[in-house]
Amino acid sequence: MKMSCRLRDRKEWDVRASTLARNTFNPIRDIIETLKIKPNPDIPYIALSVGDPTAFGNLQPSENIIDTICEMARLNDSRSYGPTIGHWEARQAVAEYSAHQGPVTADDVILCSGCSHAIDITLSVIADAGQNVLIPRPGYLIHKTLGEGLGIVIKYYDLLPDEDWQIDLVSLESQIDENTAAIIVNNPSNPCGSVYTKKHLKDIIEVALRNRVPIIADEIYEHFVFSKHEFTSLSSLSKDVPVITCSGVTKRFLIPGWRMGWIIIHDRNNILGKEVRKGLFSMSTRILGPNTLLQRALPRILKETPQSFFDDTMRFIENQAHLAYQELQKSPALRPIMPQGSMYMVVEIKMSLFPKFENELQFISQLCNEQSVLCIPGECFNYPNYIRLVLTVPEDILREACHRITKFCDEHMMKEKLKIPDNDIVSIVNGKSSEVSSKQQMLKNIS
Ligand SMILES: Cc1ncc(COP(=O)(O)O)c(C=O)c1O
């Protein structure tokens, strides 16, 4: 009754966005938009910014995936609604595929619309507004976007660039307080490309155990590692700490747009209990389940995709990483950090050599305006003075992009700051001087 009076009293329109919508903010979109970039129209534009391995068309999914999808599209029940947590056959296939994570049954699996949806559901169940969740710095900020939308406080723990981006365990533990609902660990990492050793993962679990905090393992890049590195799933090492793993077919199977991800609940000592499990299932009802065509195809995609397909993809990305590393190292103004997996490389910009740029955002927009190469600024990962490159672009394009980046650095850096003659810089830039190593050593000390 009261309500209807209020409604009748409305004289003006006053339609507002919800608090959730107002609190939801994707920093990558926002920062890139504020850069106001205008690529040089005289040079072909190269986007090293898009974390989509299919963007340039050079990396194609395995033939069996296309064939299976075409076949399944003819079945009526690939078009029908399914159970909101996903069809049993698809969940069973994910459980078998994920056996490296520890004991998993179909009952532990919830299918989602991509890994970001898996993270969204998990965060919304594990934390209330006002509680906090710890995420890595630098890190992929989808965790922040999703968490802050829900009113969850995001706190950061540091990664160590000079120790293969391992987690600074002291920083991690110092961030935990009585309101900490979960720690998010992203391994292999976007943007760093780090792949954690078993020992490091055990140390992380130890911190979580000591403080009784569950872990959300974002493993969307699982198995996406270079030849000398081994991927270990965090949950496989945890006896006591509950781990909720979020993953999917997005990156490894090169089908990001088909939106198939999942949550796997590892709760060996029944710490999460029925309530959290039930909460995860309840939250899956909000979108009536993910794409059923993909669900129907999933068992065959997971079982029949040949190892040679994964090997070829990883060999390509690893070669690209070496190429970018060698090319970018030629500039004394850049410090590329060699990744161990995933599909990105982080590069430090020695900003003190570019006093005319206030920060790496200005560096990046000027780079794009002059050289038509767009990279993602470190700011988008909460890590200024660094940039991220995507390695999945075709080889000739990556080479050309690196060449343009080093050329840009050479044209804009203050060579007087290096205190060595200009032609020496050039010889270092070209990587030809016999004195390169000692001088490069000196240059590395410039931050
Ligand atoms: C670390 C990380 N987590 C989650 C996602 C989202 O994955 P999806 O496209 O499956 O939602 C990405 C995408 O780039 C990512 O890099």
Side-chain angles (χ1 to χ4, degrees), residues 159-415:
L159 305 184
L160 301 165
D162 297 324
E163 292 178 35
D164 294 325
W165 297 108
Q166 288 203 15
I167 295 176
D168 178 342
L169 296 168
V170 176
S171 155
L172 175 66
E173 194 151 17
S174 71
Q175 292 301 318
I176 299 175
D177 61 30
E178 67 279 11
N179 283 323
T180 304
I183 299 168
I184 296 187
V185 178
N186 175 214
N187 176 51
S189 150
N190 174 9
C192 307
S194 48
V195 178
Y196 294 151
T197 59
K198 281 196 176 74
K199 152 103 183 55
H200 189 54
L201 292 168
K202 282 183 186 163
D203 289 344
I204 298 165
I205 292 168
E206 198 50 48
V207 172
L209 179 62
R210 223 177 6 253
N211 294 279
R212 306 289 188 268
V213 183
I215 295 179
I216 300 171
D218 178 344
E219 294 184 354
I220 188 64
Y221 299 94
E222 63 182 326
H223 308 296
F224 226 66
V225 302
F226 298 163
S227 49
K228 294 201 179 70
H229 301 275
E230 189 194 354
F231 169 72
T232 306
S233 189
L234 190 140
S235 61
S236 70
L237 302 174
S238 174
K239 289 196 202 78
D240 305 303
V241 176
V243 179
I244 300 178
T245 303
C246 299
S247 186
V249 290
T250 303
K251 309 288 178 175
R252 191 175 187 223
F253 292 83
L254 303 175
I255 45 177
W258 287 354
R259 313 306 299 137
M260 177 52 62
W262 50 77
I263 292 169
I264 302 183
I265 308 164
H266 301 276
D267 186 21
R268 289 169 199 139
N269 288 341
N270 203 18
I271 290 162
L272 297 177
K274 284 200 187 115
E275 196 181 79
V276 171
R277 207 174 260 270
K278 187 164 170 265
L280 292 166
F281 291 167
S282 304
M283 292 306 285
S284 77
T285 62
R286 286 168 62 95
I287 67 155
L288 306 187
N291 185 328
T292 46
L293 173 58
L294 258 287
Q295 290 189 45
R296 283 308 186 204
L298 202 55
R300 281 176 51 191
I301 291 177
L302 296 181
K303 281 193 196 111
E304 294 172 11
T305 303
Q307 186 57 40
S308 57
F309 164 78
F310 301 126
D311 294 345
D312 289 350
T313 310
M314 283 329 288
R315 201 172 309 114
F316 171 75
I317 301 176
E318 184 168 358
N319 287 341
Q320 297 283 88
H322 285 293
L323 186 159
Y325 186 78
Q326 278 161 13
E327 291 300 314
L328 297 176
Q329 251 204 340
K330 290 177 184 169
S331 170
L334 302 173
R335 182 171 74 107
I337 302 179
M338 186 65 189
Q340 302 165 324
S342 85
M343 42 180 267
Y344 311 100
M345 175 179 280
V346 171
V347 182
E348 184 187 1
I349 312 289
K350 299 187 185 233
M351 290 306 298
S352 61
L353 295 179
F354 301 98
K356 67 175 160 184
F357 301 132
E358 258 172 45
N359 49 39
E360 97 279 5
L361 297 174
Q362 285 188 2
F363 175 96
I364 279 193
S365 42
Q366 191 73 16
L367 169 67
C368 191
N369 295 352
E370 286 181 25
Q371 296 292 343
S372 285
V373 176
L374 181 63
C375 305
I376 296 271
E379 183 91 12
C380 292
F381 306 99
N382 208 1
Y383 213 64
N385 301 339
Y386 286 73
I387 58 173
R388 186 200 75 178
L389 320 181
V390 171
L391 298 170
T392 46
V393 305
E395 184 193 323
D396 54 335
I397 295 186
L398 183 66
R399 191 182 294 282
E400 170 67 16
C402 291
H403 173 72
R404 291 193 212 163
I405 296 170
T406 51
K407 182 168 180 276
F408 176 82
C409 290
D410 190 41
E411 285 168 3
H412 289 275
M413 72 185 171
M414 269 188 67
K415 291 173 186 159

Side-chain angles (χ1 to χ4, degrees), residues 92-104:
Q92 177 61 22
V94 171
E96 286 167 23
Y97 171 77
S98 308
H100 63 283
Q101 296 186 10
V104 185

